Amino acid sequence: QVQLVESGGGLVQAGGSLRLSCAASGSNFNANTLSWYRQAPGKQRELVALITSGGGTNYADFVKGRFAISRDNAKKTVFLQMTNLKPEDTAVYYCSISTIRQYWGQGTQVTVSS
């Protein structure tokens, strides 16, 4: 019954910024760990960032210092603020919530031009 709705993907030039959003319904949002993943063509899906119910965060080395994950529990929304984007960041980005099983959003395309 959990549903995730993403927005914010698009086209951006290298060095630019994007903010991804993912709104959740049907879960005890405040108690759940939230994550962002990405998958580029021909590559495995990889973890980008996560944020725990207590607000603790972890980042992949390749985005550390450039991306920031945050959550708004009142709005049941998780964000990924991406700055200093690079062409190698081009991928489909997915949000995920961990409950009794892992749920996924539909994915949103991020394309960074050089």
Side-chain angles (χ1 to χ4, degrees), residues 29-106:
F29 183 89
N30 293 356
N32 301 137
T33 292
L34 305 165
S35 303
W36 287 95
Y37 289 74
R38 71 186 189 187
Q39 187 168 23
K43 306 292 185 180
Q44 293 184 342
R45 186 173 297 187
E46 60 188 354
L47 178 68
V48 176
L50 65 82
I51 184 166
T52 68
S53 61
T57 59
N58 281 286
Y59 298 92
D61 287 342
F62 52 81
V63 302
K64 195 170 295 182
R66 299 189 296 121
F67 293 8
I69 188 171
S70 61
R71 64 194 295 163
D72 185 334
N73 288 341
K75 297 180 179 179
K76 292 189 173 183
T77 302
V78 60
F79 305 94
L80 185 68
Q81 179 66 52
M82 305 185 293
T83 60
N84 192 24
L85 283 160
K86 303 175 180 181
E88 52 263 43
D89 295 320
T90 296
V92 178
Y93 284 71
Y94 301 88
C95 65
S96 180
I97 185 169
S98 298
T99 62
I100 56 175
R101 56 153 282 187
Q102 189 171 17
Y103 293 89
W104 298 91
Q106 79 283 359

